[in-house]
Amino acid sequence: MIIRSLELYHIVMELKEPFTTSFGSIKKRETIIVKIVDDNDNTGWGEIVSSGGPWYSYETIETAIHIIKDYITPMIRGRAIDHPKTFHSLVSSIRGHNMAKAGIEMALWDLYAKELKMPLSAILGGVKYKIDCGVSIGIKSNVNELLKAVGYYLEQGYKRIKIKIKPRWDVDIVRRVRREYPDIPLQVDANAAYTLSDYVVFKKLDEYNLEMIEQPLYYDDLVDHAILQRLIRTPICLDESIKSIHDVKAAYRLGSCMVINIKPGRVGGLSEAVKMHDFCMTVGIPVWIGGMLETGIGRSYLVSLASLPNVKYPSDISASSRYYVEDIVEPPWTIDKDGTMKVPTKPGIGVEVLEDRIKKYIIRNIKLIP
Ligand code: OSB
Ligand code: MG
């Protein structure tokens, strides 16, 4: 196929409530929706998960637009792209900027699957018709708010609770949650807020039977995590530190973690995500799929990936209603009482994109091709 039109929609969607991590708080999710129409008149959709500022990673809305406009577009314009992998060979000279690449690559996967009239999950090697859903709960202003949120999401059916932690919002709140809920699958995510000198915090957290501790240390580190993993029995799960299959191999060799959170945006797209998944399956590292508060478009890629066989833990994939008053796809993503979400069976991403609804949230429409 050849790309006939490529457009970016810079949108802003209000979250139902602010989402706070150790690196900051957001109330409005800014994101870029990618729309590609090919020469068969099929439409493919993608989502770029970078945020307004370089907080989770160095990428931002503006860097993504810059890289796509000034580098990716000239490399793919007029080129025959028969498989999303062709895209990677065309843009392989661009280092980093994984979220920008992933957004375009996702739209190409959607188109590829639609051309084959197959659901994306089947093309990626998915084996599940429903996936296990977890929920990620941000830092709250007090512990009662947190307990209320945990109770609410358990009632909705979520299979595991993830709590964001930061220094001084860690051991005490985990103790309180565990006292109320001794047996639930519970894990924490520090978003890189600690150093090895905080060792005693992790030693204490070790007492609460957590499923895992996500990204406790520096966002680009593998060595200190390997040291910490040898000192505690709770599995370490890496998020920020793992940006490619190369990082996965290094983490495996070093023993930096026992679990990996795969986010397609962070790693440059679905091709790399599947490579990482497959390597982890071979060496016995279980994975799960992480989220970036995606709209219904980005969420569809998370769901497809979560249907792969080595996704052994519930993923950070929650219902549309956990994030937004209304989603931009139909049907919106929902979870069943048993805490699972159905994997779509329609061709491509398997949900319909509501363009009229997107228009309500657009702040910029950037036409790059033709
Ligand atoms: O670290 O997993 C993270 C959201 C934004 C940035 C980083 C993270 C998160 C989440 C939310 O935890 C997961 C979700 O989309 O529900
Ligand atoms: Mg994380």
Side-chain angles (χ1 to χ4, degrees):
M1 62 139 236
I2 289 176
I3 297 175
R4 225 185 49 209
S5 108
L6 164 61
E7 271 181 85
L8 308 179
Y9 300 127
H10 178 183
I11 66 170
V12 181
M13 285 176 67
E14 183 128 1
L15 291 165
K16 275 188 171 171
E17 47 183 20
F19 187 78
T20 304
T21 64
S22 62
F23 61 79
S25 189
I26 63 161
K27 179 72 185 32
K28 291 180 174 173
R29 182 69 174 122
E30 265 189 81
T31 184
I32 301 170
I33 301 300
V34 178
K35 179 184 179 186
I36 297 182
V37 181
D38 70 11
D39 51 348
N40 298 319
D41 267 335
N42 283 326
T43 302
W45 296 93
E47 178 167 345
I48 298 166
V49 298
S50 56
S51 39
W55 319 129
Y56 170 80
S57 82
Y58 65 82
E59 290 190 83
T60 68
I61 295 283
E62 294 305 322
T63 66
I65 292 172
H66 164 53
I67 292 297
I68 291 172
K69 176 166 153 292
D70 296 326
Y71 299 100
I72 294 180
T73 298
M75 288 171 181
I76 61 176
R77 180 184 281 134
R79 304 297 293 264
I81 301 175
D82 293 325
H83 191 277
K85 283 178 184 153
T86 312
F87 166 75
H88 289 287
S89 60
L90 292 172
V91 302
S92 64
S93 53
I94 301 171
R95 291 185 181 170
H97 297 281
N98 284 351
M99 293 174 179
K101 288 174 187 162
I104 304 289
E105 192 234 35
M106 285 173 188
L108 296 171
W109 275 108
D110 187 18
L111 285 168
Y112 179 68
K114 281 171 175 162
E115 207 162 293
L116 296 183
K117 299 190 169 55
M118 281 171 72
L120 183 60
S121 117
I123 293 180
L124 297 177
V127 295
K128 303 172 197 166
Y129 64 95
K130 54 182 195 172
I131 56 144
D132 294 331
C133 299
V135 66
S136 171
I137 302 179
I139 292 165
K140 303 286 183 189
S141 48
N142 60 66
V143 72
N144 287 331
E145 293 279 304
L146 175 65
L147 290 170
K148 223 166 63 190
V150 171
Y152 173 77
Y153 290 119
L154 287 172
E155 211 169 276
Q156 305 272 302
Y158 287 99
K159 283 182 180 271
R160 71 96 170 104
I161 299 290
K162 163 169 141 183
I163 294 172
K164 294 289 190 180
I165 58 167
K166 64 174 182 182
R168 292 173 301 285
W169 180 265
D170 43 37
V171 180
D172 288 345
I173 59 119
V174 168
R175 182 191 304 119
R176 292 289 301 276
V177 173
R178 261 293 176 241
R179 200 198 295 161
E180 292 299 315
Y181 305 100
D183 302 319
I184 57 165
L186 181 66
Q187 64 196 56
V188 294
D189 184 358
N191 288 107
Y194 298 87
T195 68
L196 266 187
S197 63
D198 297 307
Y199 161 71
V200 21
V201 171
F202 300 106
K203 209 60 203 160
K204 287 185 186 152
L205 287 176
D206 236 0
E207 299 304 309
Y208 294 96
N209 190 27
L210 299 174
E211 298 278 295
M212 61 193 85
I213 300 177
E214 187 176 339
Q215 195 70 37
L217 310 178
Y218 189 63
Y219 70 86
D220 205 21
D221 168 80
L222 293 176
V223 172
D224 283 0
H225 281 103
I227 295 171
L228 182 61
Q229 184 66 91
R230 281 158 176 76
L231 296 172
I232 60 175
R233 61 166 186 251
T234 307
I236 290 177
C237 170
L238 289 178
D239 174 352
E240 283 92 329
S241 287
I242 305 289
K243 292 164 287 289
S244 69
I245 182 74
H246 304 283
D247 292 334
V248 175
K249 288 178 179 171
Y252 168 63
R253 290 285 179 158
L254 288 165
S256 312
C257 63
M258 292 163 67
V259 184
I260 289 179
N261 161 342
I262 298 180
K263 291 181 181 172
R266 191 189 73 229
V267 307
L270 305 176
S271 306
E272 192 76 7
V274 171
K275 254 191 246 172
M276 294 165 64
H277 165 276
D278 293 353
F279 177 85
C280 287
M281 187 149 90
T282 307
V283 301
I285 299 178
V287 307
W288 52 279
I289 307 303
M292 293 289 289
L293 313 173
E294 282 88 345
T295 73
I297 294 174
R299 194 159 306 282
S300 66
Y301 294 95
L302 307 181
V303 173
S304 292
L305 280 173
S307 72
L308 269 59
N310 192 42
V311 176
K312 302 276 198 196
Y313 288 99
S315 293
D316 274 352
I317 301 177
S318 307
S320 298
S321 63
R322 179 257 179 273
Y323 310 92
Y324 303 104
V325 172
E326 57 174 25
D327 206 338
I328 55 175
V329 299
E330 184 60 38
W333 297 97
T334 54
I335 75 158
D336 294 326
K337 281 275 167 284
D338 65 350
T340 65
M341 190 178 275
K342 292 186 186 72
V343 179
T345 51
K346 291 186 185 146
I349 59 172
V351 287
E352 189 199 336
V353 174
L354 302 173
E355 293 197 53
D356 283 345
R357 204 160 285 170
I358 291 179
K359 293 208 172 83
K360 283 169 54 179
Y361 302 109
I362 289 187
I363 46 179
R364 250 188 310 177
N365 180 2
I366 302 161
K367 291 189 190 327
L368 297 170
I369 299 176

